[in-house]
Amino acid sequence: KQWYQRRVHGDQLQPYHQQEKEKSSMAKSFCESIKLLRSTGPSYSKLRSRGVSTNTPKKQVVQAVLQDPIHHDEPSITIRTPVPGPKSVALKKDLNTMQEMSTVTFFADYEKSYGNYLCDVDGNTFLDCFMQIASIPLGYNHPAILEALRDERNIKTMANRPALGWFPSEDWVHRIKHSMLAVAPPGMTQVFPMMCGTCSNENGIKMMFMRYMNKQRGGRVDFNAEELNSVLKHEAPGSPKLSILSFKGGFHGRSIGLLSCSHSRPIQGVDIPTMQWPKADFPKYKYPLNENVRENEAEDARCLARVEELIEQATKDGQPVAGVISEPIQAEGGDNHASDSFFQGVAAICKKNDISLMMDEVQTGGGASGKMWCHEHFGIEADVVSFSKKMLSGGIYHNMEHRPPHPGRILNTWVGDPHKIIMLEQVVKTIKEESLLNLVTESGKTIMAGLEDIQGRYPEILSKARGRGTICAVDVKN
C-alpha cells in the first residue's frame, strides 16, 4: 500500500510517522483534502506532484510530493456491531428530539465510504445496492467529482448561489449545454433545472395544463380580465377544471398535485385533501414473459382500453384530461414493468386525443436502465420528461410546444443550483468516456441471470424476476 510520506503542519512539511498511519488510512490534514482525488484511475497514474493552496494568510503554495501512484484499496464488507450500532442509535435519538425522523436506518461515515461501499459511524461497511434512494450516479467519493468541487475556478460559483432566473453567471449557458442538454431525451430541446423530483413533476404537469389551455384559446397568449380575475377566486375560466391521468401503483411525489397522481402507499397521502383525477390500471403480467405472451398482450389491450375510457369519461364529467403521466418502471409501486407496445399504445392515445405525454424519469433516468432515459427502450418520444436523483439536480425536459408563452410562469428563486451542475458535468463526462451505459447493460444481464437461477432453485419463495439494465427485481413470498 502506498502512503503519503509528508504532510503539511503550519508552515513546515514534516514526516508522517508510523503511529499516525495506524490511526488513519490517510493523513488528517493536508492529505485528507486530496486523498480520494488522487486515489484511483488511469488519468492519475503519471502524477508525481500537485500544487495546492493551503489557505494560509499569505496564500502560500506548497508542493505535495507523492511517491508512486496512489491506489485506493476497495473496502470490503465488514459488520462489527448490530445494525444500527450504538453510535447510530444515540445519534438517532438526539435527532428525533428535533424532528420526526424515525426513518433513519443508521448514520453514515461519508469520509470512509467509497465506490459501491457505504460505511457507518460504528465501523460497519456495507455493499450498497440502495445508493441513497437511487441518487448516487458514480458511487461514493468519485475522484472526478471531488476534483471538480476542489477546483478553485468553481469555488466562487458554489459560494455565491445565484437566482438563475435573473442573474446567471457568464458560463451558465455553456454549463447547461454540456451537462443537461448533452444527454437530453429524443425530441427534447428545452430544459428547466429544478430542485428535486417533486418540484420537477409538479411543474411538469403545470406545463401540460398550460399547453392544453393554450390550445383551447386557439393560441391566444394575452389573458382577458375575466381569466385574470377569476383565477384569484379559484374559479373558471382562469382556474379551469382539468385533470391528469396517471396509473395505479404509480408514485410521483408528495405535493398535493402529485399525491393526486399517485397510487402506491396510503401513508403518503392520508389526511391530505387531493383532486379526484383518473387512474388507469397498469399492466400486471404473468411470468415468465416468454411463456405468457398471449395473456400479457391481452393485459396490455385491457389497460389501454381503460385509458381511453377514462379520458372519455373525464370529458363527460367536465374535467377533461390535459395529459398523461407515467413512470417507465413503477418504482415505489413494486418495480412494475410494462411492455414497449403498452407505452407505444399510451403515446398513440395521447396523440389521438391531442393531450400531452409526460414520462417521470426521476427514479429511472440517468442511465440505470442501460439507456440514459428508460423510455428510450419503448421507441417513443414524450412531450415532457422529469428527472432528479442520479442527475443530481432536478429538472424538466420538454419540447417547444410545452414552452411557456409567458416569462415567470415556471420559475422559483434559484431554478436549479450551479453546484449540482458542476458535479453533473463530471457525471456526464464519465458516463461517456467510460461507456458506462454499456457496462450497465452487461451488469444487468449478470444480475438477471443470477435472479433467474436462484428463482429456479427456490420457486416456492422467489418469482417474477424482471429488469432493464440494473433496475432488477424479484418478488419474495410474504
mmCIF file of all heavy atoms in Angstrom, residues 277-310:
data_model
loop_
_atom_site.group_PDB
_atom_site.id
_atom_site.type_symbol
_atom_site.label_atom_id
_atom_site.label_comp_id
_atom_site.label_asym_id
_atom_site.label_seq_id
_atom_site.Cartn_x
_atom_site.Cartn_y
_atom_site.Cartn_z
ATOM 1 N N TRP A 277 -58.547 12.754 -9.613
ATOM 2 C CA TRP A 277 -58.134 12.602 -11.003
ATOM 3 C C TRP A 277 -58.128 11.128 -11.390
ATOM 4 O O TRP A 277 -57.908 10.256 -10.531
ATOM 5 C CB TRP A 277 -56.756 13.218 -11.193
ATOM 6 C CG TRP A 277 -56.750 14.713 -11.101
ATOM 7 C CD1 TRP A 277 -57.834 15.554 -11.099
ATOM 8 C CD2 TRP A 277 -55.596 15.560 -11.002
ATOM 9 N NE1 TRP A 277 -57.438 16.861 -11.009
ATOM 10 C CE2 TRP A 277 -56.063 16.899 -10.953
ATOM 11 C CE3 TRP A 277 -54.236 15.332 -10.967
ATOM 12 C CZ2 TRP A 277 -55.203 17.987 -10.869
ATOM 13 C CZ3 TRP A 277 -53.366 16.410 -10.885
ATOM 14 C CH2 TRP A 277 -53.843 17.732 -10.828
ATOM 15 N N PRO A 278 -58.358 10.815 -12.660
ATOM 16 C CA PRO A 278 -58.489 9.418 -13.083
ATOM 17 C C PRO A 278 -57.176 8.644 -13.000
ATOM 18 O O PRO A 278 -56.097 9.184 -13.271
ATOM 19 C CB PRO A 278 -58.961 9.535 -14.540
ATOM 20 C CG PRO A 278 -58.514 10.895 -14.975
ATOM 21 C CD PRO A 278 -58.576 11.763 -13.769
ATOM 22 N N LYS A 279 -57.297 7.361 -12.630
ATOM 23 C CA LYS A 279 -56.137 6.470 -12.543
ATOM 24 C C LYS A 279 -56.470 5.171 -13.265
ATOM 25 O O LYS A 279 -57.401 4.460 -12.901
ATOM 26 C CB LYS A 279 -55.774 6.205 -11.083
ATOM 27 C CG LYS A 279 -55.269 7.450 -10.370
ATOM 28 C CD LYS A 279 -54.962 7.190 -8.914
ATOM 29 C CE LYS A 279 -54.458 8.473 -8.259
ATOM 30 N NZ LYS A 279 -55.487 9.542 -8.281
ATOM 31 N N ALA A 280 -55.677 4.881 -14.270
ATOM 32 C CA ALA A 280 -55.886 3.685 -15.075
ATOM 33 C C ALA A 280 -55.104 2.516 -14.497
ATOM 34 O O ALA A 280 -54.160 2.694 -13.713
ATOM 35 C CB ALA A 280 -55.460 3.946 -16.522
ATOM 36 N N ASP A 281 -55.486 1.313 -14.900
ATOM 37 C CA ASP A 281 -54.756 0.115 -14.491
ATOM 38 C C ASP A 281 -53.422 0.048 -15.217
ATOM 39 O O ASP A 281 -53.346 0.274 -16.434
ATOM 40 C CB ASP A 281 -55.561 -1.150 -14.826
ATOM 41 C CG ASP A 281 -56.834 -1.253 -14.003
ATOM 42 O OD1 ASP A 281 -56.888 -0.649 -12.918
ATOM 43 O OD2 ASP A 281 -57.771 -1.933 -14.457
ATOM 44 N N PHE A 282 -52.375 -0.247 -14.464
ATOM 45 C CA PHE A 282 -51.062 -0.521 -15.049
ATOM 46 C C PHE A 282 -50.986 -2.032 -15.269
ATOM 47 O O PHE A 282 -51.471 -2.808 -14.447
ATOM 48 C CB PHE A 282 -49.953 -0.063 -14.091
ATOM 49 C CG PHE A 282 -48.601 0.071 -14.724
ATOM 50 C CD1 PHE A 282 -48.279 1.186 -15.478
ATOM 51 C CD2 PHE A 282 -47.633 -0.908 -14.546
ATOM 52 C CE1 PHE A 282 -47.018 1.329 -16.046
ATOM 53 C CE2 PHE A 282 -46.377 -0.778 -15.102
ATOM 54 C CZ PHE A 282 -46.063 0.350 -15.856
ATOM 55 N N PRO A 283 -50.407 -2.480 -16.381
ATOM 56 C CA PRO A 283 -50.410 -3.923 -16.675
ATOM 57 C C PRO A 283 -49.804 -4.766 -15.549
ATOM 58 O O PRO A 283 -48.793 -4.392 -14.950
ATOM 59 C CB PRO A 283 -49.551 -4.023 -17.940
ATOM 60 C CG PRO A 283 -49.661 -2.680 -18.582
ATOM 61 C CD PRO A 283 -49.758 -1.701 -17.450
ATOM 62 N N LYS A 284 -50.438 -5.877 -15.282
ATOM 63 C CA LYS A 284 -49.919 -6.875 -14.342
ATOM 64 C C LYS A 284 -49.691 -8.164 -15.126
ATOM 65 O O LYS A 284 -50.657 -8.826 -15.513
ATOM 66 C CB LYS A 284 -50.897 -7.095 -13.183
ATOM 67 C CG LYS A 284 -51.051 -5.877 -12.290
ATOM 68 C CD LYS A 284 -51.968 -6.168 -11.099
ATOM 69 C CE LYS A 284 -52.078 -4.955 -10.185
ATOM 70 N NZ LYS A 284 -52.975 -5.213 -9.020
ATOM 71 N N TYR A 285 -48.443 -8.478 -15.360
ATOM 72 C CA TYR A 285 -48.096 -9.573 -16.253
ATOM 73 C C TYR A 285 -47.937 -10.901 -15.534
ATOM 74 O O TYR A 285 -47.661 -10.963 -14.329
ATOM 75 C CB TYR A 285 -46.796 -9.254 -16.999
ATOM 76 C CG TYR A 285 -46.901 -8.080 -17.937
ATOM 77 C CD1 TYR A 285 -45.827 -7.193 -18.107
ATOM 78 C CD2 TYR A 285 -48.058 -7.840 -18.668
ATOM 79 C CE1 TYR A 285 -45.902 -6.126 -18.972
ATOM 80 C CE2 TYR A 285 -48.148 -6.764 -19.542
ATOM 81 C CZ TYR A 285 -47.073 -5.915 -19.690
ATOM 82 O OH TYR A 285 -47.155 -4.841 -20.550
ATOM 83 N N LYS A 286 -48.083 -11.950 -16.325
ATOM 84 C CA LYS A 286 -47.756 -13.294 -15.873
ATOM 85 C C LYS A 286 -46.321 -13.598 -16.290
ATOM 86 O O LYS A 286 -45.909 -13.280 -17.407
ATOM 87 C CB LYS A 286 -48.720 -14.319 -16.483
ATOM 88 C CG LYS A 286 -50.146 -14.199 -15.976
ATOM 89 C CD LYS A 286 -51.023 -15.302 -16.555
ATOM 90 C CE LYS A 286 -52.447 -15.215 -16.011
ATOM 91 N NZ LYS A 286 -53.308 -16.300 -16.557
ATOM 92 N N TYR A 287 -45.589 -14.199 -15.384
ATOM 93 C CA TYR A 287 -44.184 -14.531 -15.638
ATOM 94 C C TYR A 287 -44.012 -16.039 -15.645
ATOM 95 O O TYR A 287 -44.778 -16.756 -15.008
ATOM 96 C CB TYR A 287 -43.300 -13.889 -14.565
ATOM 97 C CG TYR A 287 -43.162 -12.392 -14.703
ATOM 98 C CD1 TYR A 287 -44.148 -11.528 -14.226
ATOM 99 C CD2 TYR A 287 -42.044 -11.826 -15.326
ATOM 100 C CE1 TYR A 287 -44.037 -10.147 -14.364
ATOM 101 C CE2 TYR A 287 -41.920 -10.451 -15.459
ATOM 102 C CZ TYR A 287 -42.911 -9.618 -14.979
ATOM 103 O OH TYR A 287 -42.785 -8.257 -15.117
ATOM 104 N N PRO A 288 -42.985 -16.535 -16.365
ATOM 105 C CA PRO A 288 -42.048 -15.831 -17.231
ATOM 106 C C PRO A 288 -42.752 -15.252 -18.461
ATOM 107 O O PRO A 288 -43.700 -15.837 -18.985
ATOM 108 C CB PRO A 288 -41.030 -16.896 -17.641
ATOM 109 C CG PRO A 288 -41.370 -18.129 -16.896
ATOM 110 C CD PRO A 288 -42.706 -17.995 -16.302
ATOM 111 N N LEU A 289 -42.271 -14.109 -18.927
ATOM 112 C CA LEU A 289 -42.919 -13.395 -20.015
ATOM 113 C C LEU A 289 -42.992 -14.222 -21.288
ATOM 114 O O LEU A 289 -44.004 -14.205 -22.000
ATOM 115 C CB LEU A 289 -42.181 -12.083 -20.284
ATOM 116 C CG LEU A 289 -42.186 -11.042 -19.152
ATOM 117 C CD1 LEU A 289 -41.350 -9.833 -19.545
ATOM 118 C CD2 LEU A 289 -43.600 -10.614 -18.799
ATOM 119 N N ASN A 290 -41.909 -14.961 -21.586
ATOM 120 C CA ASN A 290 -41.879 -15.706 -22.843
ATOM 121 C C ASN A 290 -42.827 -16.897 -22.861
ATOM 122 O O ASN A 290 -43.069 -17.488 -23.916
ATOM 123 C CB ASN A 290 -40.450 -16.166 -23.168
ATOM 124 C CG ASN A 290 -39.856 -17.058 -22.086
ATOM 125 O OD1 ASN A 290 -40.503 -17.306 -21.062
ATOM 126 N ND2 ASN A 290 -38.645 -17.532 -22.304
ATOM 127 N N GLU A 291 -43.376 -17.248 -21.714
ATOM 128 C CA GLU A 291 -44.333 -18.356 -21.656
ATOM 129 C C GLU A 291 -45.778 -17.869 -21.546
ATOM 130 O O GLU A 291 -46.704 -18.685 -21.512
ATOM 131 C CB GLU A 291 -44.015 -19.258 -20.454
ATOM 132 C CG GLU A 291 -42.651 -19.940 -20.543
ATOM 133 C CD GLU A 291 -42.361 -20.787 -19.318
ATOM 134 O OE1 GLU A 291 -43.292 -20.988 -18.495
ATOM 135 O OE2 GLU A 291 -41.205 -21.237 -19.176
ATOM 136 N N ASN A 292 -45.946 -16.552 -21.511
ATOM 137 C CA ASN A 292 -47.290 -15.994 -21.322
ATOM 138 C C ASN A 292 -47.537 -14.823 -22.270
ATOM 139 O O ASN A 292 -48.167 -13.829 -21.894
ATOM 140 C CB ASN A 292 -47.471 -15.540 -19.873
ATOM 141 C CG ASN A 292 -47.418 -16.670 -18.880
ATOM 142 O OD1 ASN A 292 -48.409 -17.374 -18.654
ATOM 143 N ND2 ASN A 292 -46.244 -16.872 -18.275
ATOM 144 N N VAL A 293 -47.059 -14.946 -23.491
ATOM 145 C CA VAL A 293 -47.145 -13.847 -24.456
ATOM 146 C C VAL A 293 -48.588 -13.470 -24.730
ATOM 147 O O VAL A 293 -48.956 -12.280 -24.686
ATOM 148 C CB VAL A 293 -46.418 -14.224 -25.764
ATOM 149 C CG1 VAL A 293 -46.634 -13.137 -26.817
ATOM 150 C CG2 VAL A 293 -44.930 -14.431 -25.506
ATOM 151 N N ARG A 294 -49.443 -14.447 -25.020
ATOM 152 C CA ARG A 294 -50.830 -14.144 -25.380
ATOM 153 C C ARG A 294 -51.564 -13.492 -24.210
ATOM 154 O O ARG A 294 -52.285 -12.497 -24.397
ATOM 155 C CB ARG A 294 -51.540 -15.426 -25.794
ATOM 156 C CG ARG A 294 -52.989 -15.197 -26.232
ATOM 157 C CD ARG A 294 -53.627 -16.495 -26.688
ATOM 158 N NE ARG A 294 -52.908 -17.081 -27.807
ATOM 159 C CZ ARG A 294 -53.227 -18.252 -28.364
ATOM 160 N NH1 ARG A 294 -54.234 -18.971 -27.864
ATOM 161 N NH2 ARG A 294 -52.542 -18.712 -29.391
ATOM 162 N N GLU A 295 -51.388 -14.014 -23.007
ATOM 163 C CA GLU A 295 -52.068 -13.448 -21.846
ATOM 164 C C GLU A 295 -51.621 -12.009 -21.576
ATOM 165 O O GLU A 295 -52.449 -11.154 -21.232
ATOM 166 C CB GLU A 295 -51.793 -14.300 -20.610
ATOM 167 C CG GLU A 295 -52.403 -15.690 -20.656
ATOM 168 C CD GLU A 295 -51.500 -16.711 -21.337
ATOM 169 O OE1 GLU A 295 -50.537 -16.305 -22.021
ATOM 170 O OE2 GLU A 295 -51.767 -17.916 -21.163
ATOM 171 N N ASN A 296 -50.340 -11.761 -21.743
ATOM 172 C CA ASN A 296 -49.832 -10.423 -21.457
ATOM 173 C C ASN A 296 -50.207 -9.415 -22.538
ATOM 174 O O ASN A 296 -50.412 -8.226 -22.249
ATOM 175 C CB ASN A 296 -48.321 -10.477 -21.260
ATOM 176 C CG ASN A 296 -47.938 -11.230 -19.993
ATOM 177 O OD1 ASN A 296 -48.721 -11.301 -19.046
ATOM 178 N ND2 ASN A 296 -46.744 -11.807 -19.974
ATOM 179 N N GLU A 297 -50.322 -9.865 -23.775
ATOM 180 C CA GLU A 297 -50.818 -8.973 -24.825
ATOM 181 C C GLU A 297 -52.264 -8.585 -24.542
ATOM 182 O O GLU A 297 -52.659 -7.424 -24.756
ATOM 183 C CB GLU A 297 -50.705 -9.659 -26.186
ATOM 184 C CG GLU A 297 -49.277 -9.739 -26.712
ATOM 185 C CD GLU A 297 -49.185 -10.468 -28.044
ATOM 186 O OE1 GLU A 297 -50.191 -11.099 -28.446
ATOM 187 O OE2 GLU A 297 -48.117 -10.407 -28.677
ATOM 188 N N ALA A 298 -53.039 -9.532 -24.041
ATOM 189 C CA ALA A 298 -54.423 -9.229 -23.677
ATOM 190 C C ALA A 298 -54.484 -8.246 -22.518
ATOM 191 O O ALA A 298 -55.370 -7.370 -22.472
ATOM 192 C CB ALA A 298 -55.152 -10.522 -23.322
ATOM 193 N N GLU A 299 -53.548 -8.364 -21.574
ATOM 194 C CA GLU A 299 -53.497 -7.431 -20.448
ATOM 195 C C GLU A 299 -53.161 -6.023 -20.924
ATOM 196 O O GLU A 299 -53.755 -5.037 -20.466
ATOM 197 C CB GLU A 299 -52.472 -7.913 -19.417
ATOM 198 C CG GLU A 299 -52.235 -6.971 -18.249
ATOM 199 C CD GLU A 299 -53.406 -6.869 -17.286
ATOM 200 O OE1 GLU A 299 -54.491 -7.424 -17.575
ATOM 201 O OE2 GLU A 299 -53.252 -6.222 -16.234
ATOM 202 N N ASP A 300 -52.230 -5.902 -21.862
ATOM 203 C CA ASP A 300 -51.922 -4.601 -22.452
ATOM 204 C C ASP A 300 -53.164 -3.989 -23.086
ATOM 205 O O ASP A 300 -53.485 -2.808 -22.873
ATOM 206 C CB ASP A 300 -50.828 -4.737 -23.516
ATOM 207 C CG ASP A 300 -49.430 -4.814 -22.917
ATOM 208 O OD1 ASP A 300 -49.280 -4.543 -21.713
ATOM 209 O OD2 ASP A 300 -48.488 -5.144 -23.664
ATOM 210 N N ALA A 301 -53.867 -4.784 -23.868
ATOM 211 C CA ALA A 301 -55.055 -4.285 -24.566
ATOM 212 C C ALA A 301 -56.122 -3.834 -23.574
ATOM 213 O O ALA A 301 -56.783 -2.800 -23.770
ATOM 214 C CB ALA A 301 -55.596 -5.370 -25.491
ATOM 215 N N ARG A 302 -56.296 -4.599 -22.496
ATOM 216 C CA ARG A 302 -57.284 -4.230 -21.479
ATOM 217 C C ARG A 302 -56.943 -2.893 -20.836
ATOM 218 O O ARG A 302 -57.813 -2.020 -20.666
ATOM 219 C CB ARG A 302 -57.366 -5.315 -20.406
ATOM 220 C CG ARG A 302 -58.418 -5.057 -19.334
ATOM 221 C CD ARG A 302 -58.324 -6.055 -18.198
ATOM 222 N NE ARG A 302 -57.133 -5.862 -17.385
ATOM 223 C CZ ARG A 302 -57.034 -4.952 -16.412
ATOM 224 N NH1 ARG A 302 -58.056 -4.144 -16.150
ATOM 225 N NH2 ARG A 302 -55.923 -4.836 -15.711
ATOM 226 N N CYS A 303 -55.677 -2.727 -20.469
ATOM 227 C CA CYS A 303 -55.259 -1.487 -19.793
ATOM 228 C C CYS A 303 -55.337 -0.289 -20.733
ATOM 229 O O CYS A 303 -55.729 0.817 -20.314
ATOM 230 C CB CYS A 303 -53.846 -1.657 -19.252
ATOM 231 S SG CYS A 303 -53.715 -2.851 -17.901
ATOM 232 N N LEU A 304 -54.996 -0.461 -21.995
ATOM 233 C CA LEU A 304 -55.084 0.639 -22.953
ATOM 234 C C LEU A 304 -56.538 1.032 -23.198
ATOM 235 O O LEU A 304 -56.857 2.231 -23.314
ATOM 236 C CB LEU A 304 -54.407 0.243 -24.268
ATOM 237 C CG LEU A 304 -52.877 0.123 -24.200
ATOM 238 C CD1 LEU A 304 -52.332 -0.487 -25.489
ATOM 239 C CD2 LEU A 304 -52.225 1.484 -23.944
ATOM 240 N N ALA A 305 -57.409 0.043 -23.246
ATOM 241 C CA ALA A 305 -58.831 0.349 -23.406
ATOM 242 C C ALA A 305 -59.345 1.154 -22.213
ATOM 243 O O ALA A 305 -60.166 2.076 -22.371
ATOM 244 C CB ALA A 305 -59.625 -0.948 -23.570
ATOM 245 N N ARG A 306 -58.838 0.831 -21.040
ATOM 246 C CA ARG A 306 -59.249 1.552 -19.831
ATOM 247 C C ARG A 306 -58.766 2.997 -19.866
ATOM 248 O O ARG A 306 -59.470 3.916 -19.412
ATOM 249 C CB ARG A 306 -58.702 0.836 -18.591
ATOM 250 C CG ARG A 306 -59.164 1.434 -17.284
ATOM 251 C CD ARG A 306 -60.664 1.422 -17.149
ATOM 252 N NE ARG A 306 -61.113 1.973 -15.867
ATOM 253 C CZ ARG A 306 -62.295 2.540 -15.686
ATOM 254 N NH1 ARG A 306 -63.164 2.627 -16.692
ATOM 255 N NH2 ARG A 306 -62.630 3.006 -14.498
ATOM 256 N N VAL A 307 -57.566 3.228 -20.393
ATOM 257 C CA VAL A 307 -57.066 4.596 -20.539
ATOM 258 C C VAL A 307 -58.025 5.405 -21.405
ATOM 259 O O VAL A 307 -58.410 6.538 -21.059
ATOM 260 C CB VAL A 307 -55.644 4.596 -21.150
ATOM 261 C CG1 VAL A 307 -55.230 6.016 -21.533
ATOM 262 C CG2 VAL A 307 -54.643 4.002 -20.166
ATOM 263 N N GLU A 308 -58.440 4.843 -22.518
ATOM 264 C CA GLU A 308 -59.342 5.561 -23.414
ATOM 265 C C GLU A 308 -60.692 5.810 -22.758
ATOM 266 O O GLU A 308 -61.286 6.896 -22.909
ATOM 267 C CB GLU A 308 -59.506 4.777 -24.721
ATOM 268 C CG GLU A 308 -58.202 4.672 -25.523
ATOM 269 C CD GLU A 308 -58.445 4.413 -26.987
ATOM 270 O OE1 GLU A 308 -58.675 5.395 -27.731
ATOM 271 O OE2 GLU A 308 -58.392 3.237 -27.383
ATOM 272 N N GLU A 309 -61.182 4.837 -22.010
ATOM 273 C CA GLU A 309 -62.458 5.002 -21.323
ATOM 274 C C GLU A 309 -62.402 6.141 -20.310
ATOM 275 O O GLU A 309 -63.339 6.953 -20.200
ATOM 276 C CB GLU A 309 -62.834 3.702 -20.603
ATOM 277 C CG GLU A 309 -63.213 2.554 -21.516
ATOM 278 C CD GLU A 309 -63.363 1.249 -20.757
ATOM 279 O OE1 GLU A 309 -63.224 1.281 -19.493
ATOM 280 O OE2 GLU A 309 -63.580 0.210 -21.390
ATOM 281 N N LEU A 310 -61.310 6.201 -19.550
ATOM 282 C CA LEU A 310 -61.191 7.233 -18.519
ATOM 283 C C LEU A 310 -61.057 8.618 -19.129
ATOM 284 O O LEU A 310 -61.582 9.601 -18.577
ATOM 285 C CB LEU A 310 -59.992 6.922 -17.622
ATOM 286 C CG LEU A 310 -60.175 5.733 -16.673
ATOM 287 C CD1 LEU A 310 -58.849 5.359 -16.013
ATOM 288 C CD2 LEU A 310 -61.225 6.045 -15.605
#
